[in-house]
Amino acid sequence: MALCGALHSFLFEYDTPRIVLIRSRKVGLINRAVQLGILAYVIGWVFLWEKGYQETDSVVSSVTTKVKGVTLTNTSTLGARIWDVADYVIPPQGENTVFVMTNVILTLNQSQGRCPELPDDQTKCEVKNNCVPGYVSTHSSGIQTGECVPYNSSIKTCEVFAWCPVEDDYHIPKPAFLREAENFTLLVKNNIWYRKFNFSKRNILPTINSTYLKNCVYDAQTDPFCPIFRLGKIVEAAGQDFQEMAVEGGVMALQINWDCNLDRAASHCVPKYSFRRLDNKDSAHTVSPGYNFRFAKYYRNSDGTESRTLVKAYGIRFDIIVFGKAGKFDVIPTMINIGSGLALFGVATVLCDIVVLYCMKKRYFYREKKYKYVEDYELGVGETYGTDS
């Protein structure tokens, strides 16, 4: 029965707003305060801060890089040697990234043959039976032959068929082999495009000439638009120590932010640079820190045999990350936000109705004035509830 009554009410009753003027200082102040807050939000936040009157577009970007710098090393293994950009930038060009080698372990004159494996818990042996022919583990330098041979005067290890002598990377050079890399420079050339507005620009601004470009180095205070960065300063700006990072390597982000208000002159659309370390070093988690990889340089000897130099390169990878947003006045977003703001003014009415009908002492009196119940006039029945006022 109750269900039928509810269905009858839903189908055959109609609600229409009734305007009631309530003279109350408390309610009037609440109403104006809420309206003022909504007005401040629409004007201050939506239009002034968020620029709700603008159409926006995300940046499309391309990046090219160039590293410069030369350093000298002098070791008992290599002697005096000059290192230039062709030696320490690997590969020569990357996609929005550049790797600079800062430390290295070299294994010279490797050739394929049989030699003792590096000693560890799985490769040490006493007799031939300790070694399994054809065995390969994830950390093996080669394939075991099944022989147990001397590694040095006191240790025996399983023999492997591999590039010999095998690499020994237990001890990383400290300080870093190319510690002078902090003085190398990185030129970043960045072109951006906002498709919706057909607006393009590059980070080498029109005010920069060739003379300035040859001599400037980025500084947040004195040269904030110079596109040439000293590697040590990039790491320092991220709160890191270059010499410490250079030992085991790491990953740095060079961020370029293009936030442009295209209602202003194009000269105001300029890049903003920031820096951070992406592989945050955690002193509590020291397993496999830094950044490194291996590659080899191959040679053909005079007797026709092949040999190589194995390079385990530690270094810093610089990722150039470009982001940004451009905005320009457009009628459609302006009208949408104005309409949304006007709709928000209804919140003031709802809030005041809640205060009047549920919180004030005279809520029953106001409720009686607010609602009036009328029967169907065509049935010949007059008003049954409420008042005429």
Side-chain angles (χ1 to χ4, degrees):
M1 196 68 184
L3 181 61
C4 291
L7 181 61
H8 183 274
S9 298
F10 175 76
L11 293 174
F12 302 114
E13 289 185 356
Y14 164 69
D15 297 329
T16 184
R18 186 185 189 192
I19 298 175
V20 179
L21 178 62
I22 300 175
R23 289 189 171 90
S24 169
R25 293 180 180 178
K26 182 187 295 183
V27 178
L29 287 174
I30 292 174
N31 183 48
R32 299 309 176 200
V34 173
Q35 289 177 340
L36 186 61
I38 293 172
L39 186 64
Y41 164 76
V42 172
I43 296 176
W45 176 260
V46 175
F47 281 97
L48 296 182
W49 184 260
E50 290 292 322
K51 295 181 175 61
Y53 54 88
Q54 291 184 332
E55 177 72 21
T56 60
D57 192 15
S58 297
V59 68
V60 178
S61 166
S62 69
V63 173
T64 57
T65 59
K66 185 184 293 185
V67 181
K68 287 188 177 181
V70 178
T71 187
L72 171 69
T73 61
N74 194 349
T75 64
S76 57
T77 304
L78 299 176
R81 177 170 175 173
I82 289 290
W83 296 78
D84 63 15
V85 64
D87 297 311
Y88 57 73
V89 175
I90 310 159
Q93 280 294 317
E95 185 177 353
N96 294 354
T97 187
V98 59
F99 173 83
V100 177
M101 185 173 68
T102 56
N103 208 2
V104 65
I105 296 176
L106 297 172
T107 308
L108 304 175
N109 300 320
Q110 283 188 319
S111 59
Q112 292 198 11
R114 298 169 181 259
C115 52
E117 177 67 283
L118 284 178
D120 61 26
D121 293 340
Q122 293 184 341
T123 61
K124 288 182 181 179
C125 62
E126 296 294 336
V127 294
K128 181 177 179 179
N129 292 340
N130 296 142
C131 303
V132 180
Y135 175 76
V136 180
S137 74
T138 55
H139 300 290
S140 294
S141 300
I143 301 174
Q144 289 189 12
T145 64
E147 299 293 330
C148 181
V149 296
Y151 178 78
N152 55 33
S153 58
S154 59
I155 298 175
K156 286 185 175 182
T157 62
C158 293
E159 185 184 63
V160 291
F161 182 71
W163 286 94
C164 300
V166 296
E167 179 191 62
D168 182 0
D169 61 349
Y170 286 159
H171 303 288
I172 303 173
K174 292 183 181 181
F177 193 70
L178 299 180
R179 53 186 175 273
E180 295 299 321
E182 67 176 335
N183 295 316
F184 297 165
T185 58
L186 170 64
L187 168 63
V188 177
K189 293 190 285 185
N190 175 215
N191 292 272
I192 60 107
W193 178 47
Y194 288 108
R195 182 184 58 83
K196 286 184 180 180
F197 311 120
N198 195 28
F199 177 86
S200 59
K201 200 164 186 180
R202 62 197 299 239
N203 67 326
I204 302 178
L205 303 178
T207 55
I208 295 177
N209 56 41
S210 58
T211 303
Y212 174 79
L213 193 62
K214 288 180 180 178
N215 296 284
C216 76
V217 175
Y218 173 84
D219 183 276
Q221 303 300 323
T222 60
D223 294 280
F225 302 122
C226 178
I228 299 176
F229 305 85
R230 195 165 73 90
L231 302 190
K233 288 292 185 181
I234 293 176
V235 176
E236 180 184 331
Q240 304 292 316
D241 181 82
F242 186 91
Q243 294 302 330
E244 179 183 347
M245 191 175 182
V247 173
E248 295 181 314
V251 182
M252 292 292 306
L254 192 161
Q255 301 172 123
I256 309 177
N257 183 15
W258 291 89
D259 279 342
C260 299
N261 182 358
L262 299 184
D263 290 328
R264 305 176 68 186
S267 60
H268 290 94
C269 181
V270 293
K272 294 181 180 178
Y273 301 99
S274 60
F275 317 93
R276 61 163 297 178
R277 183 171 182 174
L278 296 179
D279 67 319
N280 288 325
K281 188 173 182 181
D282 187 352
S283 58
H285 300 87
T286 57
V287 178
S288 188
Y291 183 71
N292 65 80
F293 58 89
R294 291 176 177 86
F295 67 96
K297 298 180 179 179
Y298 294 86
Y299 310 93
R300 182 69 64 179
N301 300 320
S302 58
D303 59 359
T305 60
E306 186 181 39
S307 63
R308 74 177 189 181
T309 295
L310 179 64
V311 181
K312 184 175 183 181
Y314 298 83
I316 303 174
R317 193 183 78 192
F318 295 90
D319 292 345
I320 293 85
I321 303 172
V322 182
F323 57 96
K325 183 176 69 173
K328 193 173 186 179
F329 175 79
D330 191 88
V331 173
I332 293 176
T334 303
M335 297 307 296
I336 289 174
N337 283 301
I338 289 175
S340 300
L342 293 174
L344 282 176
F345 279 98
V347 173
T349 302
V350 173
L351 182 61
C352 290
D353 279 352
I354 292 173
V355 172
V356 168
L357 301 178
Y358 298 100
C359 302
M360 298 186 70
K361 292 180 180 179
K362 296 183 179 180
R363 56 185 178 273
Y364 297 108
F365 173 74
Y366 290 130
R367 196 175 301 170
E368 183 180 328
K369 298 294 184 180
K370 172 73 174 174
Y371 300 108
K372 185 174 184 178
Y373 301 92
V374 181
E375 295 293 346
D376 192 343
Y377 181 78
E378 293 179 355
L379 297 178
V381 181
E383 299 175 0
T384 58
Y385 298 101
T387 67
D388 294 331
S389 56

